[in-house]
Amino acid sequence: MCIRDSYKHFNKVVFDNRLPQANFMFRKTNRSAGYYKATWGYARLKHIINISRAYVDKLEFEDLAEILLHEMLHLWFDINGIKDIYSNGTHNWRFRLLAYRLGIPCNRDGVNMGRIDSIFNKIMQGKYNIKINEIGF
C-alpha cells in the first residue's frame, strides 16, 4: 500500500471520508518526521502533508503510515476549525487525546510515545469502529 492509498484508507476508516484531497511532499525536515499545512494556490486552498525524506528512506511502512495518520489528524482539526496546537507550537490536550484514541499517542512536542498496536492494527485492517467525527469536545 502506498501513501496515497493509505490516505484513502484512513480517510474512509477513521474520518468517514470527510477529509479533502491532500497534496503529498517528501522533503527532508530537520525537526520533525512530518507536518501538515494549508496554503492558498491557484485561487483554492491546498492541504499539504509532508513526510520527511529522511524518514521515508529509513522506516517500515507501518511507521510511515503512523506519521501520515498523525498529519491527517492535524488536517481534520484544521478543516473543523478546532485548535490543536498551543501558541508555543506544542500539541494540545485535544490532539493528544484523539491521537491516543487512534493508537498513535504523542507528547506535547508531537513525538511518538509508542504505537498502541491493538488499536492501530484495527485501523490498518479496516476494523476500527469509532469514527472521529463522532467524538465531541
Side-chain angles (χ1 to χ4, degrees):
M1 190 182 301
C2 72
I3 293 295
R4 290 185 200 290
D5 291 339
S6 296
Y7 182 89
K8 290 176 186 174
H9 175 77
F10 291 150
N11 194 12
K12 178 182 178 185
V13 172
V14 177
F15 300 99
D16 205 22
N17 284 320
R18 295 186 187 198
L19 295 185
Q21 179 180 343
N23 296 312
F24 299 98
M25 297 187 323
F26 302 96
R27 294 185 179 156
K28 186 175 180 183
T29 56
N30 294 326
R31 296 182 2 199
S32 67
Y35 63 81
Y36 160 77
K37 73 176 182 176
T39 186
W40 284 94
Y42 300 106
R44 71 176 186 87
L45 187 61
K46 292 170 57 175
H47 302 280
I48 298 170
I49 293 176
N50 183 73
I51 298 177
S52 177
R53 168 63 59 197
Y55 289 85
V56 170
D57 294 339
K58 294 178 185 175
L59 295 179
E60 297 293 324
F61 175 75
E62 288 78 13
D63 299 317
L64 294 174
E66 182 178 350
I67 295 168
L68 174 64
L69 186 54
H70 178 107
E71 302 311 329
M72 289 175 73
L73 189 52
H74 282 296
L75 170 56
W76 181 85
F77 274 100
D78 184 37
I79 67 169
N80 285 286
I82 303 171
K83 190 172 174 123
D84 62 335
I85 300 289
Y86 291 119
S87 59
N88 66 1
T90 60
H91 294 67
N92 70 18
W93 67 270
R94 288 180 185 95
F95 187 93
R96 293 191 323 268
L97 174 66
L98 287 187
Y100 180 83
R101 297 277 309 262
L102 295 177
I104 55 168
C106 66
N107 65 17
R108 289 184 121 183
D109 294 323
V111 175
N112 177 333
M113 294 176 55
R115 182 170 59 234
I116 303 170
D117 284 332
S118 61
I119 299 170
F120 187 76
N121 290 343
K122 285 182 181 177
I123 293 171
M124 292 296 287
Q125 296 165 4
K127 298 178 181 176
Y128 188 70
N129 61 358
I130 299 172
K131 299 292 185 199
I132 199 121
N133 295 310
E134 298 171 359
I135 302 171
F137 289 109

